[in-house]
Amino acid sequence: MGNLSHSPMLDGVFPDGPDTILLHPAVTARRWRRRQVLAAVRPGTVLKGLSVVFVAGFALVAGNGFAGKFIVAAVVLIVVLAGWRAACGPGDFRRLHEPAPGARLRRGEGWRSRDFADLGADTASLVRELLAGVDELHRTPARAWIDPALPGEAHRVVWEALCCLDRSRDARALAEELATDPDAGEDLATAARQAVTTIDHDLDEVARHLRGCLLLTRAWEAKLRRTDLARRADRVLVALPGREELRGLAGAAEVLPRNVFAHVTAARDLTQAGEFPWEQPPSQWPRLTLLPPHRATTTPKAGGPAGERQS
């Protein structure tokens, strides 16, 4: 489900789809790792292992020779597995299709982001913002520069805020009921509505202060990125070749065409291969065209100027 040493926000798969979980502040990384190990070692796995050990030991004692021991072991193993599947197959099938995170997470150990979806779109959005804020405070590169206890304190505050939000369910239901009941009286409906409004306002304040923390850490993250980029730029620019080195290379390359020209003209004279195109009169130079070679040109009409030149 995730690594609790970095963030109390974990990912899980549930019957209604993937979701994120905010663990209880008391669930430490060591405790969660122990829970994961214990969840992985299921009773069925232990019994199957003991059955294999029993079959192997029985085969070593009962059979005569390798072939006899192998046959005895195979028969006993088939019988044990067949009986196991007949007795526990349906239950194992159901367990295989149970979401592991949901089976491991006990009631009260975590809040899912969907736990508050029934309280309205605004409340659900606020909950997702709080959970994302806690996760970001635990993972931000600025964590090494702030109070080490701050992410944990933010975790505790958000957890308690979600607990208060959960405790407000009855008040919200009552406010809706009183708002539609003509016999309830305006004073009761107003009091219930005011209580819910106060809770929502206080939760908005929690979210606002969490946004302030994130605004500060993001600003410091930008400073850290700028410093890192400046350091990398200095390191890369220092490694670039100097201007004098490049000028020396350009000077060395400048004499190469003259060297080639001297050799090819000497070879031309020795082999009597004739003049190069640039040594002929301009009228004999290859005619340049603006069209690519693969594009067909339009054949001039017989009566046009081109036709007159060709005639």
Side-chain angles (χ1 to χ4, degrees), residues 33-50 95 100 104:
R33 285 194 295 268
R34 183 170 63 251
R35 287 278 307 283
Q36 287 182 317
V37 171
L38 293 177
V41 183
R42 296 181 176 179
T45 305
V46 176
L47 292 177
K48 289 179 181 179
L50 293 177
R95 283 195 293 272
R104 297 174 189 171

Side-chain angles (χ1 to χ4, degrees), residues 14 53 265 276:
F14 297 88
V53 173
T265 52
F276 288 106

Side-chain angles (χ1 to χ4, degrees), residues 270-282:
L270 291 175
T271 59
Q272 298 181 355
E275 297 178 337
F276 288 106
W278 61 80
E279 295 177 321
Q280 299 176 0

Side-chain angles (χ1 to χ4, degrees), residues 206-218:
V206 173
R208 186 174 67 85
H209 294 309
L210 187 61
R211 291 188 205 106
C213 294
L214 297 178
L215 181 65
L216 294 172
T217 55
R218 289 169 185 170

